[in-house]
Amino acid sequence: PKTDIVFLKVHKSASSTVMNILFRFGETHNLTFAFPLGGGYQLYYPHHFLARFVQGFSPQSPRRFNILCHHMRFLQPEVQKVVPSSAIYFSILRNPVQLMESSFVYYKGASAFSRVRSLEEFLSQPYRYYNPASGDRHYARNLMTFDFGFNPDGDVSPERVQLMLKAIEASFDFLLISEYFDESMVLLKEMLCWDLDSVVSFPLNTRDSSTKSPLPDSVVEKLKAWNRLDWEIYTHFNRTFWERIDRDIGRERMRREVKALRERQAELARTCLQGTGSVAPKDIKDSSLRPLQHGGARILGYNLKQGLDQELERTCRRLVTPELQYSSLLYKKQFAPQPP
């Protein structure tokens, strides 16, 4: 199994669920994480990543960490200073239309969104609300482009787009697609030589459907145009994702693997969870399992069954522990105060 990993955690793209998978794998195999200084949750995002943002890094004794997966704005030469040269690089993408709809609800306080009632209103005259000079502009335009380290207000000429896609391909071994999450997990398992249980998960940091609304076609087209760079990245890597599956796995085997993954997840849900799945924040009984609530979104969580044996309780709890709590836990473990 591959143990040296860089995961570029793209915002609002099921990346918290992937992070949980990496946290569990790292904890099980006693791997080290490149944590933000002081145990924060982001590597000085939205600044480009620098090695010195990592707890325990020093240029004098370059220490390498197994897994880098906290939010960052990608800058490969700096990333290479904190992970082994053999590290596998991957990320996850989401359709920019849904991505922006999610971003609008989650980052409602961002300067570009704070004065509008709806996404339609924003898109009717975006430059009235969007300021390319503001520090939080990226939440409102080409968020994936930004996270990959490029300019979200950059030129959309075919030449520039090609350069960007080539740069991403040169840095990353593969890109997952959140709309095909289960297929993505099978691909991940394949690429990292992991077993099935290492990639099972319950969806984390998802929001209640009451805040989701379908978008009219006219808005969808405007969204694609406004997020043109993201759209180019997404359509390109959605295509290569399926090419890779055809080449390395084949559709028939992929169907079988996805079925096995879903069956295992359903079995774990029956074993671990009260009720059938996620619940509203107010209904989460164990406060240590309550996810951070942000913006206008209601972020769902889980209740574990009572009376599970110790080993099973531990397995189940890790599957449903929200990102911030899990990150803190692992940080304390990795940087435990030394006894005098």
Side-chain angles (χ1 to χ4, degrees), residues 228-263:
R228 175 68 191 281
L229 293 171
D230 272 10
W231 185 250
E232 295 283 357
I233 292 175
Y234 178 78
T235 50
H236 175 80
F237 287 105
N238 187 13
R239 193 178 67 248
T240 58
F241 175 80
W242 291 100
E243 287 168 1
R244 174 160 230 158
I245 284 171
D246 289 337
R247 191 183 70 229
D248 297 348
I249 299 175
R251 300 281 170 120
E252 190 41 53
R253 188 172 143 226
M254 177 55 87
R255 271 194 289 276
R256 289 199 305 275
E257 296 261 0
V258 164
K259 184 169 178 277
L261 178 66
R262 287 177 181 161
E263 283 168 359

Side-chain angles (χ1 to χ4, degrees), residues 104-159:
F104 181 78
V105 174
Y106 201 79
Y107 300 113
K108 191 71 185 78
S111 56
F113 294 151
S114 58
R115 308 201 312 280
V116 292
R117 283 186 305 280
S118 67
L119 210 41
E120 283 97 316
E121 189 181 339
F122 173 79
L123 290 160
S124 64
Q125 36 189 153
Y127 282 108
R128 188 177 159 193
Y129 309 106
Y130 177 84
N131 174 3
S134 77
D136 61 359
R137 76 188 192 285
H138 52 283
Y139 292 124
R141 186 177 205 188
N142 290 315
L143 182 50
M144 294 191 290
T145 303
F146 183 87
D147 285 354
F148 276 95
F150 303 101
N151 176 6
D153 296 301
D155 170 18
V156 296
S157 69
E159 298 76 30

Side-chain angles (χ1 to χ4, degrees), residues 56 71 74 82 97 103 119 126 144 152 175 187 195 255 287 323 340:
H71 272 308
F74 190 66
V82 298
V97 174
S103 194
L119 210 41
M144 294 191 290
L175 289 152
L187 184 65
D195 62 7
R255 271 194 289 276
S287 61
E323 170 186 333

